[in-house]
């Protein structure tokens, strides 16, 4: 089987590529990624050593480049991770979110139709459901929860989901969608909460916590998400949405305190700052459908996963340091110098 993984130089995509190379060594994987600020080819250093893996740099919204890629590689499966993903950036600059997350997804689906792709899998987010209140812990998002978005990021992801479902209904494109809660693990860009806290605390820098840190997220270890995507894209039903979540709700302040404790750093580093506009209060996923239909369950307890994650960042100081210094952006040129 030939699988195109878009956005595979980012956080979840790179973990997914390692998951596939390990669990499906007979498949051919092509990573297609524009290497925006969030894409880091050095995250795929280990993958580039595999004969059945290759990397192509390109934009998912570039119709010509996408068509050429599909024509050349003839993919059986396309799994779309490529996206602008940071809520705070979507508040500053929504336009790139519309282009990549909506037009880019459409461009990939048009090519998938044209070249007879057997499965187009869209990696989506629980943020399309909006927020849950803090005082009703029994409420959770199911696949039937209405779409109700808060940020330009979640609105663009919801738009892509609706387009994907319309391509199934109207054109019969075999799509599937997973909507996952917040992920944590290795290779996450240090603008997101968990790697931001680890990298700043390691240097004894203040840690910005929005509002009072009372917002709740449902954290899932990234490899558990990868396993869910792998199952759904191979065995999930066409035209269906599957929620993926960790049954692991934490307030932001709990997460920050846990990390500080693991690092042996004082809570005096915590600095409460002005809240994010439109900040969703709580996300919580009901993952009953994927558990029942496909037998998926999260395997990693938060305490273990956060320990692995903290250790990974401490052991991979160069990966982090190159990002903080901006040097990671030169990696592509170094890696490919004289090879193209
Ligand atoms: P990320 O920001 O770490 O990586 C995004 C990747 O997409 C980068 O490698 C970037 O270079 C690439 N990219 C961006 N624009 C592109 C374009 N126009 N063409 C080609 N490549 C482009 O993101 P992530 O956290 O790994 O998220 C991956 C997917 O999972 C996203 O679709 C996101 O919405 C979804 N998701 C993320 C989370 C989470 O907690 N991180 C949770 C649920 C769903
Ligand atoms: P983030 O990692 O940006 O993911 P998302 O907004 O997609 O859930 O943020 C996770 C939570 O942490 C969210 O409630 C916002 C909060 N947060 C902070 O308190 N401080 C920060 O510096 C960041 C980046 C996030």
């Amino acid at each position: 089987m030939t699988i195109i993984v878009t956005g595979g130089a980012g956080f979840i995509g790179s973990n997914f590529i390692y998951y596939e190379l390990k669990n499906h060594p007979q498949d051919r994987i092509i990573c297609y990624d524009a290497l925006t600020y969030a894409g880091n080819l050095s995250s795929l250093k280990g993958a580039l050593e595999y004969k059945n893996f290759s990397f192509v740099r390109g934009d998912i919204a570039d119709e010509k480049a996408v068509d050429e890629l599909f024509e050349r590689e003839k993919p059986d499966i396309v799994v779309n991770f490529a996206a602008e993903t940071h809520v705070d950036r979507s508040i500053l600059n929504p336009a790139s979110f519309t282009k990549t997350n909506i037009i880019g997804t459409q461009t990939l689906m048009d090519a998938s139709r044209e070249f007879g792709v057997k499965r187009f899998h869209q990696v989506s987010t629980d943020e399309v459901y909006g927020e849950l209140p803090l005082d009703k812990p029994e409420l959770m998002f199911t696949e039937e929860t209405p779409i109700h978005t808060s940020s330009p990021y979640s609105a663009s992801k919801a738009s892509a989901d609706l387009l994907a479902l319309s391509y199934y209904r109207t054109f019969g494109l075999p799509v599937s969608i997973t909507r996952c809660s917040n992920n944590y693990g290795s290779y996450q860009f240090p603008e997101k909460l968990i790697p931001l806290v680890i990298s700043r605390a390691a240097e004894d820098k203040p840690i910005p916590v929005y509002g009072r840190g009372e917002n709740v997220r449902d954290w899932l270890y990234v490899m558990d998400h990868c396993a869910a995507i792998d199952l759904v894209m191979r065995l999930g039903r066409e035209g269906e949405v599957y929620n993926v979540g960790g049954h692991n709700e934490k307030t932001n302040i709990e997460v920050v305190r846990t990390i500080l404790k693991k690092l042996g750093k004082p809570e005096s580093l915590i600095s409460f700052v002005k809240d994010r506009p439109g900040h969703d209060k709580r996300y919580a996923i009901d993952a009953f459908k994927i558990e029942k239909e496909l037998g998926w369950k999260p395997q990693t307890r938060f305490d273990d996963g956060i320990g692995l994650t903290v250790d990974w960042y401490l052991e991979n100081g160069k990966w982090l340091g190159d990002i903080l210094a901006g040097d990671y952006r030169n990696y592509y040129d170094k890696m490919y110098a004289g090879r193209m």
Side-chain angles (χ1 to χ4, degrees):
M1 200 121 73
T2 296
I3 304 171
I4 291 182
V5 179
T6 65
F11 163 44
I12 309 174
S14 55
N15 278 284
F16 180 76
I17 286 169
Y18 289 113
Y19 183 92
E20 293 297 303
L21 290 171
K22 180 163 173 229
N23 292 287
H24 300 282
Q26 72 287 2
D27 289 340
R28 208 162 63 86
I29 310 283
I30 299 114
C31 172
Y32 182 74
D33 195 298
L35 298 181
T36 66
Y37 81 93
N40 186 349
L41 194 58
S42 77
S43 303
L44 293 173
K45 214 169 165 181
L48 285 160
E49 286 166 14
Y50 285 72
K51 285 210 167 56
N52 55 335
F53 174 78
S54 55
F55 177 82
V56 178
R57 186 175 192 173
D59 186 333
I60 58 166
D62 180 342
E63 194 182 323
K64 189 163 166 282
V66 167
D67 281 357
E68 279 169 15
L69 175 78
F70 280 49
E71 168 105 70
R72 190 171 65 242
E73 305 292 353
K74 305 197 171 27
D76 299 291
I77 299 180
V78 175
V79 48
N80 182 28
F81 291 90
E84 289 291 340
T85 63
H86 191 37
V87 173
D88 294 326
R89 283 182 193 255
S90 83
I91 295 167
L92 292 173
N93 172 22
S96 60
F97 286 71
T98 308
K99 179 154 185 258
T100 289
N101 299 2
I102 307 176
I103 309 289
T105 305
Q106 187 193 346
T107 307
L108 290 173
M109 290 195 298
D110 284 338
S112 298
R113 281 181 69 203
E114 192 181 336
F115 293 94
V117 163
K118 296 190 195 80
R119 177 60 65 99
F120 178 85
H121 184 77
Q122 174 68 2
V123 181
S124 187
T125 163
D126 62 355
E127 300 193 28
V128 301
Y129 299 121
E131 66 177 355
L132 294 165
L134 290 175
D135 60 355
K136 292 205 172 68
E138 70 284 6
L139 290 184
M140 289 201 259
F141 298 135
T142 73
E143 290 82 358
E144 309 306 322
T145 301
I147 299 281
H148 188 87
T149 57
S150 308
S151 68
Y153 164 65
S154 56
S156 66
K157 292 296 290 184
S159 306
D161 283 12
L162 294 177
L163 263 182
L165 294 172
S166 83
Y167 271 54
Y168 170 71
R169 170 88 195 237
T170 306
F171 305 121
L173 183 72
V175 303
S176 48
I177 297 175
T178 40
R179 292 182 180 149
C180 190
S181 58
N182 286 60
N183 284 213
Y184 67 98
S186 50
Y187 299 115
Q188 187 169 29
F189 198 83
E191 66 185 354
K192 304 281 169 64
L193 181 70
I194 287 183
L196 181 129
V197 174
I198 300 172
S199 61
R200 292 186 68 86
E203 293 188 356
D204 298 302
K205 289 186 175 153
I207 293 163
V209 173
Y210 300 162
R212 300 302 304 164
E214 285 160 354
N215 301 58
V216 172
R217 297 293 183 261
D218 175 1
W219 293 97
L220 181 71
Y221 189 58
V222 65
M223 278 301 175
D224 284 328
H225 185 193
C226 294
I229 294 169
D230 180 69
L231 271 177
V232 172
M233 77 179 194
R234 290 170 195 271
L235 303 172
R237 286 182 291 142
E238 290 174 12
E240 292 288 321
V241 173
Y242 293 86
N243 281 354
V244 182
H247 297 299
N248 179 49
E249 291 176 51
K250 307 256 176 239
T251 60
N252 293 336
I253 195 72
E254 270 179 276
V255 171
V256 172
R257 288 201 176 113
T258 304
I259 297 171
L260 289 175
K261 202 161 166 212
K262 293 245 174 244
L263 287 167
K265 298 288 180 180
E267 291 193 5
S268 55
L269 288 177
I270 295 171
S271 161
F272 292 103
V273 299
K274 192 163 170 274
D275 209 353
R276 171 189 280 172
H279 195 176
D280 283 336
K281 290 191 178 63
R282 172 176 167 248
Y283 302 142
I285 279 277
D286 177 345
F288 179 72
K289 180 173 171 180
I290 188 173
E291 291 174 4
K292 182 163 166 272
E293 273 187 32
L294 298 170
W296 176 87
K297 265 203 182 310
Q299 301 295 322
T300 315
R301 288 173 48 242
F302 185 71
D303 200 46
D304 298 333
I306 201 74
L308 289 171
T309 305
V310 169
D311 290 347
W312 187 88
Y313 279 91
L314 295 181
E315 284 157 18
N316 288 273
K318 174 149 172 49
W319 182 90
L320 189 61
D322 282 354
I323 289 183
L324 298 175
D327 286 348
Y328 74 107
R329 307 204 72 167
N330 305 324
Y331 189 81
Y332 181 85
D333 299 330
K334 269 194 247 149
M335 191 69 205
Y336 283 86
R339 287 175 55 183
M340 303 200 58

